[in-house]
Amino acid sequence: MRVLLPQVLPSLLVGVGASLLYLGISALSEEFEDVLWDDLPDALGIGGYSSLWIISMLTAAGIAVGLVVWKVPGHAGPDPASMGLGGTPLAVGVVPGLLLASALALAGGVSLGPENPIIASNIALAYWLGRKVAPAVPGAAWVALASSATIGALFGTPVAAALVISEALAGTPGRGSLWQRLFAPLVAAGAGSVTTQLLAEPTFDMDIPPLTDPGWGDLLAALVIASAAAVFGLASCYLFPYVHAAFRRLRHPMLMLPLGGLVLGLLGALGGPLTLFKGLDQVKELTSSIGSWSSGELAKLAVVKLFALLVAASCGFRGGRIFPAVFIGAAFGLLAQALVPEVHPAIAVSSAVLGVLLATTRQGWISLFTGAVLAPSPAVLGLLCLASLPAWLIVTGRPQLELDEQGNPLR
C-alpha cells in the first residue's frame, strides 16, 4: 500500500488532464467542421457535400496543414508514417503544432482519427511536467500513465487501456506482479474514461441487431469474414511504402500535403460524404440502414475509404488509423452480409472490423475489443476470439501500416 497509494493522485490528474485535452481538441475540430461544411457553404449558396466543395475543402485542408508543418515550431512532429500509438516522448514544443495540424485535418474531412496525435501530445506533456514535479519517478511511468489515460478517454472505458498496457508490460521486466504494475495506469485510464463519459457521453453502440443464439454457421462466417477482411486490410500495408515514397519525392510539405488533400478530395467526391472524416459517425449512419445498401455501394465505400486512409497516412496529415479502419471493416462486413444474407449483421460487422484492425494496427487487444463493442453481445465475443486466430496468422510477419525512419515497412 505504501508503494501504490502515492501513485493515485498523479494518476488521477494525468487521467483527467488527458481526457480534457482530447475533449477540447475534439470540440474545437467539430465546431470548425460545422463552419466549413455547413455554415460556409450555406452562406455561399453551395451544396456542402457537392463534389466541388469536397474537393475544395480537402485541398484547403492540405494547404492549411502544410503551412503548419512548414512554419510552426516543431513542424507538427516527425513523419506520421513512422509514428505508432505511444512511443518516445516528443519535445513539448512540438505539441501545439501537432494538435493544430490534427484539428485542421479532423475538421477538413481527412480520413484519419485523433488517437495518435492526442496520445503523443499527452505523453509529451505528462513526461515534461512529471519530470519537473517528480524527477525521481522514471520517465516510463509517465508515458504509461498518459498512454493509458488517453486510451481510456478515447474509448470511454478503461478496459481497452488495461488490455493494451498489459500486453506492453507482459514482456517488460519490472518489480511486483502484473496487477501491481497495472495499478497506476488503470487509475489513469479510469479517470480519463469517467471524465469523458461525464462530459461527452461517447458511445460505440451502432444499433446492430444482437446475436442471441450462435451456431456453427455463425462460427464459420466469423472465421471466413475476419480472415478475408485481414487480407483486404493488408492491401493498404503492402501499398503503403510505395505511396509514401511517391509523396516523399515532393520533399516539401507545401507540395505533399496540398496534393494529398486534392487526391483525398477526388476520392471523397467518388465515394461520397460517408467516406470523409474519421469515420465513427459515418459507421453509425452505415449500420443504421442495414439491408438498404447494395453490394456495389458497399464495395465502393470500403475501397475508397481504404485508399483515403492510405493517402492520408502517406502524404503527411497528422492523425490515427483506428477509426477509419473501423469504417473500412464495417463496410467490408456489410458487403459480406449483402452477398450472403444468411450471415448475421453482428457477426459480419464485428468480424470484419477485427480483421481490418489486425491488419492495419497489429494491436490484437484493441482489435478484439473494438470488434466486440460494436456488436455488444456476449455471444459474439467468443466467436471473435476464435476468428482472431486465423486472421492473426495471416497478418503475422506481413508489412504493417507503419514505417521505420528510413521508410521501410515494419513487420
Side-chain angles (χ1 to χ4, degrees):
M1 179 178 291
R2 285 181 295 179
V3 174
L4 298 179
L5 192 57
Q7 301 178 28
V8 173
L9 181 58
S11 300
L12 290 173
L13 292 175
V14 171
V16 173
S19 176
L20 291 177
L21 181 64
Y22 162 61
L23 293 175
I25 294 299
S26 296
L28 177 64
S29 62
E30 287 169 5
E31 289 293 327
F32 195 30
E33 177 187 325
D34 290 338
V35 172
L36 292 178
W37 295 92
D38 295 321
D39 299 342
L40 188 56
D42 286 347
L44 296 174
I46 302 173
Y49 290 98
S50 65
S51 295
L52 177 61
W53 192 256
I54 290 173
I55 295 171
S56 300
M57 280 298 97
L58 267 300
T59 304
I63 295 171
V65 175
L67 286 170
V68 173
V69 174
W70 181 27
K71 290 295 187 181
V72 173
H75 305 290
D79 183 358
S82 60
M83 287 182 63
L85 290 176
T88 304
L90 301 176
V92 73
V94 172
V95 172
L98 178 59
L99 292 176
L100 178 58
S102 174
L104 290 171
L106 289 170
V110 176
S111 292
L112 292 172
E115 59 275 13
N116 286 38
I118 294 294
I119 291 175
S121 298
N122 277 328
I123 287 175
L125 292 171
Y127 182 84
W128 177 69
L129 287 171
R131 299 295 283 172
K132 283 184 173 295
V133 174
V137 177
W142 299 111
V143 173
L145 289 182
S147 300
S148 302
T150 313
I151 293 172
L154 284 165
F155 288 92
T157 170
V159 175
L163 295 173
V164 173
I165 296 300
S166 64
E167 185 176 24
L169 291 177
T172 305
R175 298 176 59 185
S177 67
L178 179 60
W179 182 253
Q180 287 178 309
R181 298 163 67 194
L182 280 173
F183 178 82
L186 273 179
V187 173
S193 64
V194 169
T195 303
T196 301
Q197 290 284 357
L198 291 174
L199 297 179
E201 299 182 0
T203 178
F204 281 82
D205 185 9
M206 302 297 166
D207 288 327
I208 300 174
L211 176 69
T212 56
D213 187 21
W216 291 107
D218 296 310
L219 174 58
L220 177 61
L223 293 169
V224 172
I225 292 173
S227 299
V231 172
F232 183 67
L234 276 177
S236 65
C237 301
Y238 277 101
L239 291 171
F240 190 34
Y242 301 102
V243 178
H244 178 266
F247 278 105
R248 289 297 117 180
R249 290 191 185 99
L250 299 175
R251 297 183 179 274
H252 201 284
M254 286 305 295
L255 294 176
M256 293 186 295
L257 282 151
L259 178 60
L262 174 61
V263 175
L264 290 176
L266 294 171
L267 287 169
L270 174 64
L274 278 182
T275 59
L276 303 176
F277 304 103
K278 66 181 181 182
L280 190 58
D281 291 336
Q282 288 71 30
V283 170
K284 295 177 182 178
E285 185 175 347
L286 192 65
T287 57
S288 66
S289 50
I290 294 175
S292 63
W293 303 94
S294 70
S295 57
E297 290 172 326
L298 292 166
K300 183 176 75 170
L301 290 173
V303 171
V304 168
K305 190 69 171 181
L306 185 77
F307 277 100
L309 171 59
L310 178 62
V311 171
S314 299
C315 70
F317 281 108
R318 272 51 177 172
R321 294 118 160 130
I322 292 176
F323 291 112
V326 170
F327 179 92
I328 296 167
F332 188 91
L334 291 179
L335 169 62
Q337 199 269 335
L339 294 173
V340 186
E342 293 79 11
V343 175
H344 195 284
I347 294 295
V349 172
S350 58
S351 299
V353 168
L354 169 68
V356 172
L357 281 175
L358 284 176
T360 55
T361 70
R362 302 301 154 86
Q363 296 283 338
W365 282 122
I366 282 185
S367 303
L368 185 60
F369 172 82
T370 305
V373 298
L374 290 179
S377 170
V380 171
L381 183 57
L383 298 179
L384 291 181
C385 288
L386 293 175
S388 68
L389 302 179
W392 185 254
L393 291 175
I394 289 172
V395 303
T396 297
R398 309 295 181 185
Q400 300 183 29
L401 200 63
E402 184 179 344
L403 307 176
D404 61 20
E405 294 181 357
Q406 287 73 43
N408 301 312
L410 298 180
R411 293 178 181 267

